[in-house]
């Protein structure tokens, strides 16, 4: 495939999805103040963001509600408390994890819901379960995506089979998710071409959710969009698990569509992110995350090393390499 | 042009140039302890780094020696004090700025010098002066490169003319220098193709020196190398002016040539960079640097904002946009 778009024009098919509360919630157990979420909602609307993801639809039977803030569960009332009737151009998204969501109980008809898009997060070996959730949500009127996580660990044959199954499903979109921040632009481009082939044959779109372990989240997002990927995830200041994500202020400052505006995001950072960081909430690139990214591993050991403020990077790498 | 190399093989033409002392010296006025420089030298040798740049050959008539550490001037004795006869496979580089270097006095014959490579830093409008320096250094036996700074501000016609002049010169290499951290991979690739056309027609190589204002230094370095750029600048932990550079630990962890080893660099970070940062020496990505990068401006206002710990990002952007 060829490059799509140029650096001075814009592609109207591009959508920006703010995932600050959902991915950022993994850093602070979803304990955001209502004021934070309300201001983020207002900032995203003003910034021209297309979707705001509020959090997970996690099952209260699996997770203890007292251990998390509201956005782990995304009750309709909690979303309504922020968005009212959401009389804006921005749509509302939530994420539902395969195996962690009681969707038949917790996902109601879209007509009665504040939610527009349900993103189904799955590993490659649980695609059939993910497709059942897609069918359920689609039948209830939602837009849906399938987000195949940890794709850097999947074999080509698995990806091919997954795409073939998803192609026949009612999912509106398919997401490339580099959970480990392990992929380089060349690999993202190859995945993008492959996903787009299935997507375009089936009237679907492709999205990208990148992690910043190797400081490549923004670069990989650009690489994907130049191939034709159109749903671009970002979070304010990159807030997200471990090394975090592509930052909204990077992405909105890059995109040329005049509907996008970096200014409300900068104001939100001043008002809410700077104070949040001062309370000790920590995310973002460091050497342990670089090393889990380079070695294509889950960031959990780097999250622990960051918490312990470890600087014995060499020992840390030796531990990572001792995996067999 | 096509991609050169693959993610599992390696290109023997690739060289890694450590610029920690030179670009990092812009952060601390070149006041490194001898121990720091000696350990860095040892780490680079062990890591398989091909060249280590010690600093600038700045004129003592222009700059006051008492205001800077030794590596602003790179006297032969100071280099010898670290490297002795440099009985290693790693070569020694220095940078000489057009208009700031008394090269006829301070650059001696290579046969009597510890230095192997002189990198001539120039803006695009001082290429003729740079070429005179190249000729001088080449005649004295040095390897030479021309590093055209702030290339994001140059017009295509200027770049074409500069390359045509450099093509006829004895310079061994031509460097793409993204001083403002303003360029995206697509632009780096275009410049790389253009530089390589001149270089390959004249038996020269092309190098890349990237800045991390938009967190694209590593990505742009990869983008350049995949086109055929072979001299890759990095600094330990990205230490360098403002947002800093492509980090050696990123680059060495990416390159597949078994001669390169990230371990000595991780050890050096533990032993020297962590304590250096604790003394309050500051560099690296932040929002003001992102904004000067996005707007293709010199980072000086962001350096000032960082020093003042400003978090009024919106005002900062408005100041940047008020430039006419």
């Amino acid at each position: 495939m060829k490059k799509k778009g140029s650096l001075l024009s814009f592609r109207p098919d591009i959508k920006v999805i703010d995932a600050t509360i959902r991915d950022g919630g993994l850093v602070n157990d979803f304990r955001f103040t209502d004021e934070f979420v309300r201001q983020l909602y207002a900032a995203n609307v003003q910034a021209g963001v297309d979707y705001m993801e509020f959090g997970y639809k996690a099952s209260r039977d699996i997770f203890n509600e007292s251990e998390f803030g509201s956005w782990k569960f995304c009750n309709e009332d909690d979303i309504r408390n922020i968005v009212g009737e959401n009389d804006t151009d921005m749509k509302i998204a939530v994420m539902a994890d395969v195996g962690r969501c009681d969707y038949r109980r917790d996902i109601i008809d879209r007509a009665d819901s504040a939610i527009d898009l349900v993103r189904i997060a799955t590993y490659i070996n649980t695609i059939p379960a993910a497709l059942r959730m897609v069918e359920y949500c689609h039948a209830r009127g939602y837009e849906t995506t399938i987000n195949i996580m940890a794709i850097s660990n999947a074999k080509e044959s698995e990806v091919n089979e997954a795409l073939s199954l998803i192609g026949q499903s009612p999912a509106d979109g398919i997401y490339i998710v580099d959970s480990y921040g392990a992929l380089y632009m060349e690999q993202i481009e190859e995945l993008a071409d492959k996903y787009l082939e299935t997507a375009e044959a089936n009237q679907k779109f492709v999205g990208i959710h990148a992690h910043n372990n190797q400081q490549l989240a923004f670069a990989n997002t650009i690489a994907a969009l130049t191939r034709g990927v159109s749903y671009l995830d970002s979070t304010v200041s990159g807030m997200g698990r471990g090394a975090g994500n592509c930052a909204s202020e990077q992405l909105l400052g890059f995109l040329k569509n005049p509907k996008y505006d970096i200014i409300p995001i900068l104001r939100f950072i001043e008002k809410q992110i700077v104070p949040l960081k001062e309370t000790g909430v920590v995310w973002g690139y460091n050497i342990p995350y670089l090393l889990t990214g380079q070695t294509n591993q889950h960031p959990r050991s780097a999250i622990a090393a960051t918490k312990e403020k470890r600087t014995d990077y060499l020992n840390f790498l030796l531990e990572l390499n001792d995996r067999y």
Side-chain angles (χ1 to χ4, degrees), chain A:
Chain A
M1 295 197 190
K2 290 221 167 171
K3 279 210 169 135
K4 294 189 180 158
S6 78
L7 282 170
L8 278 186
S9 63
F10 70 85
R11 296 213 327 260
D13 60 321
I14 294 286
K15 308 282 180 203
V16 174
I17 290 79
D18 168 72
T20 306
I21 302 298
R22 204 271 307 156
D23 208 325
L26 297 171
V27 176
N28 69 348
D29 294 331
F30 306 89
R31 299 188 190 282
F32 295 98
T33 63
D34 280 0
E35 189 57 20
F36 185 100
V37 181
R38 202 167 274 126
Q39 281 193 25
L40 178 61
Y41 171 76
N44 279 333
V45 168
Q46 284 173 42
V49 165
D50 300 280
Y51 291 81
M52 175 169 163
E53 190 176 50
F54 271 73
Y56 286 96
K57 272 281 184 194
S59 168
R60 295 184 300 276
D61 296 338
I62 300 177
F63 297 97
N64 190 334
E65 277 186 283
S66 68
E67 289 173 21
F68 299 94
S70 331
W71 309 106
K72 175 90 174 174
F73 307 98
C74 283
N75 294 327
E76 289 287 341
D77 288 351
D78 290 321
I79 300 178
R80 289 282 186 206
N81 180 37
I82 303 295
V83 310
E85 293 301 310
N86 186 31
D87 189 18
T88 74
D89 291 332
M90 186 172 74
K91 293 181 175 174
I92 307 297
V94 293
M95 183 161 275
D97 275 343
V98 167
R100 297 180 172 190
C101 170
D102 189 348
Y103 58 96
R104 292 176 193 281
R105 180 188 66 197
D106 292 337
I107 296 183
I108 62 176
D109 277 1
R110 182 181 180 181
D112 305 318
S113 172
I115 299 163
D116 301 287
L117 164 66
V118 181
R119 310 209 294 175
I120 312 293
T122 178
Y123 291 101
I124 200 142
N125 61 322
T126 53
I127 296 276
L131 291 178
R132 192 158 296 175
M133 290 170 75
V134 162
E135 283 156 18
Y136 180 91
C137 294
H138 177 77
R140 265 137 205 91
Y142 292 97
E143 302 172 27
T144 56
T145 65
I146 289 211
N147 298 31
I148 316 175
M149 299 184 288
I151 198 67
S152 57
N153 268 354
K155 293 185 179 60
E156 282 97 334
S157 57
E158 295 172 319
V159 177
N160 293 341
E161 196 178 343
L163 289 174
S164 149
L165 290 167
I166 297 167
Q168 301 156 42
S169 81
D172 297 292
I174 323 170
Y175 255 83
I176 302 168
V177 186
D178 181 17
S179 306
Y180 300 167
L183 295 174
Y184 299 102
M185 290 86 76
E186 189 169 333
Q187 295 167 300
I188 291 285
E189 287 166 3
E190 281 168 18
L191 284 171
D193 288 354
K194 191 185 279 244
Y195 279 49
L196 282 162
E197 198 180 343
T198 294
E200 290 175 356
N202 295 281
Q203 294 77 53
K204 302 183 191 307
F205 59 81
V206 177
I208 171 95
H209 181 86
H211 275 275
N212 208 31
N213 297 62
Q214 302 197 67
Q215 287 196 330
L216 294 176
F218 180 38
N220 281 338
T221 302
I222 296 174
L225 90 86
T226 58
R227 306 307 289 188
V229 169
S230 53
Y231 274 55
L232 311 177
D233 281 17
S234 70
T235 66
V236 177
S237 291
M239 186 180 186
R241 174 147 60 184
N245 302 95
C246 174
S248 304
E249 59 272 25
Q250 293 177 303
L251 187 59
L252 295 174
F254 172 80
L255 294 172
K256 292 294 176 288
N257 189 334
K259 74 169 278 204
Y260 295 124
D261 186 0
I262 193 175
I263 284 179
I265 301 300
L266 293 180
R267 193 184 286 119
F268 178 78
I269 294 170
E270 285 181 35
K271 295 256 163 43
Q272 292 291 337
I273 296 286
V274 172
L276 180 68
K277 284 190 166 172
E278 282 167 0
T279 68
V281 178
V282 172
W283 69 89
Y285 172 85
N286 65 22
I287 288 179
Y289 292 125
L290 172 69
L291 297 175
T292 61
Q294 275 178 2
T295 54
N296 191 15
Q297 294 185 56
H298 193 286
R300 65 174 71 85
S301 56
I303 292 170
T306 301
K307 211 167 263 177
E308 297 163 22
K309 301 188 179 171
R310 282 179 66 175
T311 58
D312 59 328
Y313 303 124
L314 180 49
N315 281 336
F316 181 79
L317 177 62
L318 297 177
E319 288 164 23
L320 286 183
N321 284 341
D322 188 20
R323 344 165 220 178
Y324 300 106

